[in-house]
């Protein structure tokens, strides 16, 4: 655990060095916020209560978008260039290093943009969330990060068998865009699709934490959703460990 | 530039671009996988839009088929922009590695050398998809097509491509100062392009002003869609519906001026 924490701290410090990217990330987040704020204002103009709730939801998803940005292309590049060979001689398994590094970078990005979204929250006059909601949101957001990171890094490890394979990641992104709730909360999807999506891993990455902060997920439904998040996070980490273990023996190095 | 020089420039550009297309077609599986990914991505966006309009009927007064028309116009313009200007997004590599020296030494306009790094078949998928989306929108939204509308559609696609190309050219020019293009594209231009997937009228007035004057993406689809839908009179300034080709020329001219200014800042990294 100490080693993992060291990689988290290293990733956090590393992300701090990318200053231009940092400002551009904030600008990008604001453009997306403008899009979703405009869209939902147009859709819910006649229902102020639902609109207020949806604005809280949108702010939460924008913050989570910064948290869940994972530079998996860097791993793909390691495979393409043959650098992954160096990973095999290191004492810490590659997935542990990657997950620690990515978590540190995600945390830095989210903390950097947090003040912007707090200001937006205040500017829109949204009701302040309770302390319990904030704690549940943070816990759920971290579980969502674990689901997203473990599955996406696992998909990148397919390159251990095929050298380069982007399509699985593209498919994950497509399904995520439809069923994660990043763009449309599950309760605004057609009923049967929303019900199905609630059981998929994608819901844990955006919908559950955002709905907690929006105040639309409460009571037994909330605990059931968090329970599912824990199960998907464990499943994702299990798949990642299994793929790394099996894939090392299949690895074909590029280069001499 | 004389007519002879222009012909020489364009001839060289075309040969280099076709060579790039031939080299890209050597990777057929990649090409097909890219097409499938693109179809899935746009298909996903349409599905999300369909679900939204099923739930809420309209978005700012625009029905599903009308928003599909906005998508179709945006994708068509993006297809042309990809074909002509996509290589600008990777321009930071040329600046950082000093490869831009090669473009400066060739006997054609350096910008054409940079642009010829892009295969002219890159926008193929976008063309097919946008035409399908357009035909769907025409059918469902009950658009009456006339020769004038079809002619203006083509001009709109070219004008829209020039507006997008101008944005990409500005991004590339920034590399002379910052050695970055990918960051600016993915952080600014890409999300700004997504703004016009919905009617611009749903946004705050300040954003509408930005999308009309400073970053005139509203001319790519929102304003010309009013012509196709016979809704020009609904615009506060109806002439804007017909202004896309002009705005395209103005945008690319301004961006080219910025590019020329930027090239004077270029300092090679050496060999």
């Amino acid at each position: 655990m100490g080693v993992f924490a060291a990689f988290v701290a290293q990733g956090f410090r590393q992300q701090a060095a990318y200053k231009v990217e940092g400002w551009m990330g904030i600008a990008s987040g604001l453009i997306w916020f403008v899009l979703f704020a405009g869209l939902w204002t147009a859709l819910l103009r006649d229902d102020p209560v639902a609109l207020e709730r949806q604005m809280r939801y949108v702010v939460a998803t924008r913050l989570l978008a910064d948290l869940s940005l994972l530079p998996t292309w860097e791993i793909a590049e390691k495979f393409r260039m043959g650098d992954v060979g160096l990973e095999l001689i290191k004492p810490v398994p590659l997935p542990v290093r990657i997950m620690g590094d990515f978590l540190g970078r995600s945390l830095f990005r989210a903390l950097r943009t947090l003040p912007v979204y707090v200001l937006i929250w205040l500017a829109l006059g949204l009701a302040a969330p309770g302390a319990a909601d904030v704690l549940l949101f943070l816990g759920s957001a971290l579980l969502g990060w674990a689901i997203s990171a473990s599955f996406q890094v696992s998909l990148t490890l397919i390159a251990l068998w095929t050298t380069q394979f982007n399509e699985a990641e593209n498919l994950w992104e497509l399904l995520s865009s439809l069923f994660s709730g990043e763009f449309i909360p599950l309760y605004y999807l057609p009923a049967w699709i929303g019900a199905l999506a609630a059981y998929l891993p994608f819901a844990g990455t955006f919908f559950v934490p955002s709905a907690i902060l929006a105040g639309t997920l409460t009571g037994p439904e909330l605990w059931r959703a968090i329970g599912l998040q824990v199960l998907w996070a464990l499943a994702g980490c299990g798949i990642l460990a299994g793929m790394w273990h099996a894939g090392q023996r299949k690895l074909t190095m590029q280069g001499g | 530039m004389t007519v002879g020089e222009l012909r020489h420039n364009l001839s060289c550009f075309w040969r280099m671009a076709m060579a790039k297309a031939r080299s890209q077609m050597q990777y057929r599986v990649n090409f097909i996988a890219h097409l499938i990914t693109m179809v899935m991505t746009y298909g996903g966006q349409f599905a999300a839009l369909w679900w939204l309009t099923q739930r809420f009927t309209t978005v700012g007064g625009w029905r599903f088929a009308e928003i599909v028309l906005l998508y179709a116009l945006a994708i068509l313009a993006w297809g042309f922009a990809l074909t002509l200007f996509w290589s600008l997004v990777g321009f930071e590599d040329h600046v950082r590695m000093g490869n831009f020296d090669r473009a400066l030494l060739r006997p054609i306009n350096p910008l054409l050398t940079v642009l010829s790094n892009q295969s002219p078949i890159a926008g193929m998928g976008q063309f097919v998809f946008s035409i399908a989306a357009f035909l769907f929108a025409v059918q469902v939204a009950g658009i009456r097509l006339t020769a004038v509308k079809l002619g203006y559609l083509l001009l709109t696609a070219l004008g829209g491509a020039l507006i997008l190309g101008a944005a990409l050219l500005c991004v590339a020019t920034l590399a002379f100062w910052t050695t970055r293009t990918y960051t600016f594209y993915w952080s600014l231009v890409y999300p700004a392009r997504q703004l016009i997937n919905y009617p611009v009228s749903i946004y705050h007035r300040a954003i509408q002003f930005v999308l009309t004057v400073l970053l005139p993406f509203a001319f790519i689809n929102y304003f010309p869609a009013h012509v196709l839908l016979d809704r020009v009179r609904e615009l506060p300034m109806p002439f804007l519906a017909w202004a896309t080709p002009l705005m395209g020329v103005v945008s690319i001219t301004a961006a080219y001026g910025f590019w020329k200014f930027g090239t004077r800042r270029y300092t090679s990294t050496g060999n």
Side-chain angles (χ1 to χ4, degrees), chain A residues 20-21 24-25 27-28 31-32 34-35 38-40 42-44 167 170-171 174 178-179 184 187-190 193, chain B residues 33 37 40-41 44 48 51-52 55-56 58-60 180 183-184 186-188 190-192 194-195 198 202-203 207:
Chain A
V20 174
E21 280 72 13
M24 287 299 106
S28 176
I31 297 172
W32 284 108
V34 163
L35 193 161
L39 177 64
W40 287 107
L43 293 173
L44 298 169
E167 281 63 41
N170 293 336
L171 187 62
L174 172 70
L178 293 174
F179 303 122
I184 308 176
Y187 42 78
Y188 284 136
L189 293 176
I193 296 174
Chain B
T37 302
M40 286 191 332
T41 305
W51 293 336
L52 266 187
R55 177 74 174 71
F56 296 98
T58 65
V59 179
R180 282 179 178 84
T183 302
F184 289 119
W186 288 109
S187 301
L188 300 178
Y190 176 74
Q194 309 310 310
L195 286 174
Y198 300 95
I202 67 171
Y203 301 117
I207 304 300

Side-chain angles (χ1 to χ4, degrees), chain B residues 36-59:
Chain B
I36 292 171
T37 302
M38 194 211 68
V39 168
M40 286 191 332
T41 305
Y42 285 131
Q45 288 182 355
F46 278 25
L49 179 62
W50 169 249
W51 293 336
L52 266 187
T53 46
Q54 283 290 295
R55 177 74 174 71
F56 296 98
T57 314
T58 65
V59 179

